Amino acid sequence: MKRLNIQCIKHAHFENEGFIAEWIKRKDHQLNSTHIWLDEPFPLPDSIDGLIIMGGPMSVNDEEQYHWLKEEKQFIAQVIQKKIPVLGICLGAQLIANVLGAQVLKAPQKEIGWWPITTFPSNYWETNKILTTFLWHGETFTLPKNATLLASSEAIAHQGFSYGEKVVGIQFHPEVTPEGIKNLIQNCCSDLTQGKFIQTADEMFSNKSFFEDNKKLLFALLEKLFK
């Protein structure tokens, strides 16, 4: 199997690759990161075999506040045009959707914590199923033109999509580890207001049984996308 050079864009110091890093290590692929808040440069698109775009507390619409957003969107567009595999998670999915011409807007309600989503049959996982997964977001996206819906939840219709054969965006976090949840709670605690789909910190930490199913879905997705 070819050893892939996978680039990861990270938007905040407390965000990490979680179980993605475990999969990459198992496959003996190369993982490099662009820490965007440090103004680190993007690699040349032709120098990478895959791109993973992580989450972050900002909005894709905050271009005046975050000067690097325009350049990041241009980079993502170049990678997609070159048909290099791309996975976006949460903010990463919203960035891909925006690059593909969709809108990113305030969600009807925030989703924070462990909540069920329905995954639809696709090239990336097997059949319809209910997966309890981790979410932390207050925005959503319209479905890009020619994209295929991959998942929905009670609160948010668009939880994931694929575009062509090499681009996937997911709003949920199958990569998250207990450490990742702890980091989010410590750094984004202002999001933990009252809401139908907002759990408390104690509720988030009480659900340790969900990690394995999420990791299984994540690894299946990575296997199909980065091959």
Side-chain angles (χ1 to χ4, degrees):
M1 179 179 290
K2 179 184 176 183
R3 190 169 191 253
L4 303 179
N5 178 21
I6 298 176
Q7 190 73 22
C8 181
I9 301 177
K10 300 168 72 172
H11 302 93
H13 71 278
F14 56 85
E15 291 271 5
N16 59 46
E17 298 90 348
F19 290 126
I20 293 171
E22 180 181 328
W23 181 83
I24 288 175
K25 184 176 181 180
R26 285 189 187 185
K27 295 295 180 178
D28 196 32
H29 296 322
Q30 178 69 39
L31 176 64
N32 296 302
S33 295
T34 300
H35 302 92
I36 204 163
W37 70 94
L38 298 177
D39 285 334
E40 292 182 349
F42 297 105
L44 294 173
D46 287 336
S47 71
I48 66 173
D49 301 305
L51 176 64
I52 297 174
I53 312 160
M54 301 300 295
M58 61 287 299
S59 168
V60 304
N61 301 311
D62 292 340
E63 290 185 359
E64 291 188 10
Q65 184 176 355
Y66 299 98
H67 63 89
W68 38 259
L69 272 170
K70 286 184 179 179
E71 185 180 357
E72 181 177 13
K73 292 176 186 179
Q74 291 168 358
F75 176 69
I76 294 169
Q78 290 171 355
V79 173
I80 292 174
Q81 287 168 3
K82 289 183 174 291
K83 301 189 181 303
I84 296 168
V86 182
L87 171 64
I89 297 175
C90 200
L91 174 65
Q94 295 166 4
L95 281 162
I96 294 171
N98 189 244
V99 165
L100 294 174
Q103 288 182 296
V104 176
L105 59 162
K106 185 177 180 180
Q109 47 204 329
K110 291 180 181 178
E111 285 182 304
I112 297 177
W114 294 100
W115 298 102
I117 65 168
T118 300
T119 61
F120 305 128
S122 73
N123 294 330
Y124 303 101
W125 42 71
E126 294 177 358
T127 58
N128 281 68
K129 68 175 294 184
I130 303 297
L131 174 74
T132 299
T133 192
F134 193 78
L135 300 120
W136 194 302
H137 66 108
E139 291 192 314
T140 186
F141 48 81
T142 59
L143 200 63
K145 185 178 180 180
N146 298 321
T148 299
L149 184 65
L150 295 181
S152 293
S153 71
E154 179 184 348
I156 305 294
H158 299 155
Q159 289 287 355
F161 66 90
S162 61
Y163 178 80
E165 297 181 356
K166 297 184 180 294
V167 179
V168 173
I170 53 175
Q171 186 69 71
F172 53 100
H173 288 274
E175 88 290 354
V176 77
T177 61
E179 179 188 8
I181 294 176
K182 180 180 178 181
N183 289 343
L184 282 165
I185 291 171
Q186 288 178 340
N187 290 276
C188 302
C189 58
S190 61
D191 289 339
L192 299 179
T193 55
Q194 293 290 324
K196 181 179 179 181
F197 296 98
I198 300 178
Q199 292 181 340
T200 65
D202 286 343
E203 287 174 317
M204 290 183 227
F205 280 123
S206 68
N207 294 308
K208 295 182 180 179
S209 62
F210 300 134
F211 290 105
E212 197 59 37
D213 282 346
N214 277 265
K215 186 164 72 168
K216 183 178 179 181
L217 179 139
L218 172 70
F219 282 16
L221 170 58
L222 295 171
E223 288 281 353
K224 294 290 182 67
L225 189 58
F226 299 107
K227 59 183 180 179

